[in-house]
């Protein structure tokens, strides 16, 4: 009898644990201000890079659509007490067409970052991290994969290629999995967030950490929407 009682207590406890509310934070990131002119990347110094694109390739540091939705904005929760595991699937960054894909991404502390070289040319991948140990190594066309990981949390820092000066990507390192990057329509979605109130940060590379946006958001079951607007003040007063 005692044993079955214990079992039923365990079952009830298990059910309670599995019903702890978790919600989704989603939203849109928009831009207000003068849109910077698109800059064309000149890749012809390396014929492999130049010939890998048919049309023009533009600088990726500021991408807005016709409705001023901002792509490549990293959104994350701040100061989360996360006791779960590190994501086992590696994050991936590919050197393809002499660009980094993705241009902006979040990764968990301790998670693997798989670095690919899909190009038939030499790249050099050089992390400009300030808190984490920097890395800097060549990836000749025969070296297709390397793996790195980051031991510390860190606000977004960039990775560059010393061979192709236009190549730049951004990585943020978190001690939880609650981060996302806006898509081409400026939308983001962070799932599985335990119920609670959080500070949320939105970061865009031109605005940098100095001009990041914050919001306080309460997550319950289901979806919570929080939009952000980056505003660029006109220089004229
Ligand atoms: Cu390169």
């Amino acid at each position: 009898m005692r044993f079955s009682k214990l079992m039923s207590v365990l079952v009830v406890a298990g059910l309670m644990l599995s019903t702890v509310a978790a919600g989704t934070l989603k939203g849109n990131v928009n831009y207000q201000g003068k849109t910077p002119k698109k800059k064309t990347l000149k890749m012809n110094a390396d014929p492999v890079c130049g010939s890998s694109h048919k049309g023009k390739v533009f600088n990726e540091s500021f991408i807005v659509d016709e409705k001023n939705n901002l792509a490549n904005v990293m959104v994350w929760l701040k100061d989360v007490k996360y006791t779960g595991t590190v994501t086992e699937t590696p994050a991936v960054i590919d050197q393809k067409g002499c660009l980094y894909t993705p241009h902006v991404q979040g990764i968990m502390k301790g998670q693997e970052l798989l670095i690919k070289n899909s190009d038939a040319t030499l790249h050099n991948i050089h992390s400009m991290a300030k808190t984490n140990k920097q890395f800097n190594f060549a990836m000749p066309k025969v070296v297709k994969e390397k793996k790195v990981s980051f031991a510390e949390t860190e606000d977004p820092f960039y990775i560059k290629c010393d061979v192709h000066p236009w190549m730049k990507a951004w990585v943020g390192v978190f001690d939880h999995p609650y981060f996302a990057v806006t898509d081409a329509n400026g939308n983001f979605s962070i799932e599985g967030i335990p119920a609670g109130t959080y500070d949320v940060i939105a970061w865009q590379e031109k605005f940098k950490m100095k001009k990041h946006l914050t919001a306080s958001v309460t997550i319950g079951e289901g979806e919570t929407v929080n939009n952000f607007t980056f505003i660029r003040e006109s220089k004229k007063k």
Side-chain angles (χ1 to χ4, degrees):
M1 275 306 273
R2 262 188 200 166
F3 180 71
S4 65
K5 206 169 187 181
L6 176 68
M7 283 309 286
S8 58
V9 167
L10 284 176
V11 166
V12 170
L15 280 173
M16 282 170 70
L17 271 178
S18 65
T19 54
V20 165
T24 298
L25 172 65
K26 58 196 295 185
N28 172 269
V29 182
N30 202 264
Y31 170 69
Q32 269 177 31
K34 200 181 164 201
T35 309
K37 267 192 189 154
K38 279 186 175 182
K39 281 184 196 145
T40 313
L41 299 178
K42 294 187 182 76
M43 296 188 172
N44 286 332
D46 183 335
V48 173
C49 302
S51 63
S52 59
H53 300 272
K54 277 180 186 157
K56 281 185 176 177
V57 186
F58 296 102
N59 185 300
E60 298 173 297
S61 62
F62 195 91
I63 301 175
V64 281
D65 68 8
E66 67 285 352
K67 289 178 183 157
N68 268 3
N69 297 308
L70 254 181
N72 285 337
V73 173
M74 187 132 53
V75 180
W76 69 87
L77 306 193
K78 202 182 157 192
D79 301 330
V80 179
K81 286 184 193 77
Y82 176 72
T83 51
T85 53
V86 174
T87 309
E88 277 182 36
T89 321
V92 178
I93 188 164
D94 195 3
Q95 300 162 106
K96 197 174 180 188
C98 302
L99 294 171
Y100 290 112
T101 309
H103 182 65
V104 175
Q105 71 178 307
I107 185 170
M108 279 187 78
K109 184 172 113 173
Q111 184 184 356
E112 240 169 30
L113 175 64
L114 175 64
I115 305 168
K116 291 187 177 180
N117 180 5
S118 296
D119 289 331
T121 193
L122 166 76
H123 290 294
N124 171 277
I125 186 151
H126 189 173
S127 104
M128 302 303 286
K130 291 192 175 113
T131 308
N132 282 286
K133 242 172 126 183
Q134 295 192 349
F135 57 80
N136 183 7
F137 46 81
M139 287 185 73
K141 59 185 179 183
V142 290
V143 178
K144 288 300 165 202
E145 289 188 357
K146 287 261 191 185
K147 279 177 182 168
V148 296
S149 65
F150 303 96
E152 306 293 338
T153 58
E154 186 165 355
D155 289 337
F157 58 88
Y158 68 92
I159 285 174
K160 64 170 183 161
C161 176
D162 295 327
V163 183
H164 309 109
W166 62 84
M167 288 180 71
K168 204 172 185 181
W170 293 86
V171 175
V173 188
F174 306 98
D175 53 5
H176 59 76
Y178 310 120
F179 51 83
V181 175
T182 55
D183 62 17
N185 301 312
N187 295 322
F188 69 90
S189 176
I190 305 173
E191 278 126 50
I193 305 170
T197 299
Y198 301 92
D199 285 333
V200 183
I201 293 190
W203 167 97
Q204 200 279 339
E205 70 177 272
K206 282 289 185 192
F207 285 85
K208 306 190 169 100
M209 274 314 286
K210 262 190 228 163
K211 292 186 177 177
H212 69 266
L213 302 178
T214 54
S216 177
V217 174
T218 300
I219 304 291
E221 268 182 276
E223 288 181 1
T224 305
V225 175
N226 192 88
N227 300 325
F228 292 92
T229 305
F230 280 89
I231 301 170
R232 187 181 174 205
E233 307 286 353
S234 155
K235 276 179 188 166
K236 287 174 197 161
K237 280 183 183 171

